[in-house]
Amino acid sequence: MIFRALLLCWCLPLAANAANVGQTPPALTGMDLQSGQAVDLEALHGRVVLVDFWASWCAPCLKSLPLYQTLREEWPRADFEILAVNVDEDVADARDFLSRVQVEFPIVHDDGRLASAWAPPAMPSAYLIDRDGRIHSRHLGFRPGDIDGLRNEVRHLIEARDAP
């Protein structure tokens, strides 16, 4: 845990502009911890996507992931998806966490390369990506009340494409 936190801090200066609002996000690929299926953010182009960096030692993450699951269920997969990136040093910690917190969205375990590329400044850090593949907003930390604002952002981004 300490090593991962130091790695995140060390990587921030190297990728200071890696995942900023208005930019195309860095690549995100890996294997889903739960299904074993390949995950690729690029394959979701045309959908609104929430990318969430989390860790098992992060107390706010314990609150955010179940609420993200509820949010995911509000729209069809063709419109909205969530990709979570676990930054625990040991994948067993992530699997233990997921045995207690049930979610159905894809979760990739990071070997350090995703955190280096995206440079999340806090745990959790979430990035809302619009249908055009640009980072619309970045959310640092999490409080349960944050889900309402995020829901409104997702709805706005989905409806913006549906408007004539």
Side-chain angles (χ1 to χ4, degrees):
M1 176 174 80
I2 292 171
F3 174 74
R4 182 66 62 151
L6 291 173
L7 177 63
L8 285 173
C9 292
W10 179 76
C11 291
L12 288 177
L14 298 177
N17 296 318
N20 288 325
V21 172
Q23 295 181 338
T24 301
L28 193 165
T29 60
M31 299 301 285
D32 181 5
L33 284 177
Q34 301 177 109
S35 71
Q37 299 291 318
V39 174
D40 185 354
L41 175 61
E42 182 62 32
L44 299 175
H45 189 82
R47 301 180 199 181
V48 175
V49 181
L50 180 69
V51 175
D52 181 59
F53 283 80
W54 67 278
S56 64
W57 44 263
C58 164
C61 299
L62 185 61
K63 295 176 183 171
S64 67
L65 291 180
L67 291 173
Y68 288 164
Q69 176 60 38
T70 301
L71 185 68
R72 182 184 190 250
E73 294 166 2
E74 294 181 27
W75 290 281
R77 295 294 65 74
D79 290 325
F80 178 61
E81 184 59 279
I82 296 174
L83 298 180
V85 179
N86 173 264
V87 298
D88 282 315
E89 224 174 296
D90 187 345
V91 71
D93 294 335
R95 291 184 191 283
D96 180 57
F97 184 97
L98 293 171
S99 72
R100 293 178 278 123
V101 178
Q102 301 297 311
V103 296
E104 296 175 6
F105 46 82
I107 296 179
V108 173
H109 180 257
D110 185 21
D111 60 6
R113 69 182 169 80
L114 296 174
S116 292
W118 286 71
M123 280 298 119
S125 285
Y127 302 82
L128 188 59
I129 300 168
D130 66 23
R131 290 183 189 254
D132 294 324
R134 300 249 179 240
I135 298 173
H136 172 77
S137 60
R138 184 173 70 173
H139 301 264
L140 307 179
F142 185 84
R143 292 181 316 267
D146 294 346
I147 200 71
D148 294 329
L150 188 56
R151 178 179 289 110
N152 289 335
E153 282 186 78
V154 171
R155 180 179 298 112
H156 171 76
L157 291 173
I158 289 172
E159 290 175 355
R161 178 62 65 93
D162 296 336

